Amino acid sequence: MKKTLFLFFVAAALSLSTQKAFAQYEKGDKLLNVGLNLGGTYGGGIGLGASFEAGIHEYISVGAQADFVSWNYGWVGSNIRYNFFYVGGRGSYHFGKHFITNEKLDLYAGPSLGFRIANYSYDGIGYNSSYGNGVFFGAFAGAKYYFKPNMAVFAEVGYNASALKAGIAFKF
């Protein structure tokens, strides 16, 4: 019985050690990011965002994103609240493999293109918002750190729906 148990543990250890414990981005990966938007492109604010990408090449993934950012400010006798909703496509070039040997780290950057829906509310008279609905173009750079083979923390900076997005990422 002891030999059987020992062989079972050796086989289990070998099977685990031959699998990749962590991996940077690879072709065929499906990536889901869910996080907080901090600092909208048209001012301050906070919101939520999500993106999904599928790997189509050894270094390239494409997909979609949806983001919401809201902020307000006021002064004596008035208050303005802005809400921005972004929906669009995005693509990422995963360049970490070129110079980083840490399998837990994935570095990427890319563009986004989509549509912005903007609205505001104003408690006062005589205000007209210059922010309108329309096409938006963004650019971002990000990093993911995998603490489990299919789960990571991520952060993105740039001119996208927000200046900073941070949260959790999943790989399928």
Side-chain angles (χ1 to χ4, degrees):
M1 180 68 174
K2 287 183 181 180
K3 281 186 181 181
T4 306
L5 220 73
F6 177 74
L7 289 174
F8 173 77
F9 284 118
V10 169
L14 286 174
S15 70
L16 289 175
S17 66
T18 58
Q19 294 178 351
K20 280 193 222 175
F22 298 93
Q24 292 178 344
Y25 165 82
E26 294 178 351
K27 180 180 177 182
D29 284 350
K30 292 172 182 61
L31 310 168
L32 174 66
N33 297 334
V34 179
L36 290 174
N37 290 315
L38 303 170
T41 51
Y42 294 111
I46 190 167
L48 298 173
S51 64
F52 179 81
E53 294 184 49
I56 61 167
H57 181 270
E58 185 179 357
Y59 300 111
I60 299 171
S61 61
V62 295
Q65 72 180 46
D67 294 281
F68 175 77
V69 177
S70 181
W71 60 279
N72 63 0
Y73 65 91
W75 58 89
V76 177
S78 64
N79 186 36
I80 301 172
R81 179 168 197 82
Y82 291 99
N83 295 310
F84 298 96
F85 181 70
Y86 300 83
V87 63
R90 65 186 267 148
S92 297
Y93 183 82
H94 300 262
F95 57 88
K97 289 182 186 181
H98 296 305
F99 56 88
I100 293 180
T101 59
N102 185 347
E103 287 289 317
K104 295 181 179 184
L105 188 61
D106 178 21
L107 302 178
Y108 58 94
S112 60
L113 178 66
F115 193 76
R116 176 189 67 242
I117 300 169
N119 67 42
Y120 73 97
S121 62
Y122 177 64
D123 299 338
I125 56 172
Y127 180 78
N128 188 10
S129 173
S130 60
Y131 307 125
N133 301 339
V135 173
F136 81 90
F137 175 77
F140 58 88
K144 290 185 179 108
Y145 182 80
Y146 287 91
F147 56 90
K148 288 188 175 185
N150 61 349
M151 194 177 295
V153 291
F154 81 95
E156 292 179 357
V157 296
Y159 184 79
N160 204 357
S162 63
L164 173 66
K165 185 186 299 183
I168 191 155
F170 302 94
K171 181 175 15 174
F172 305 97

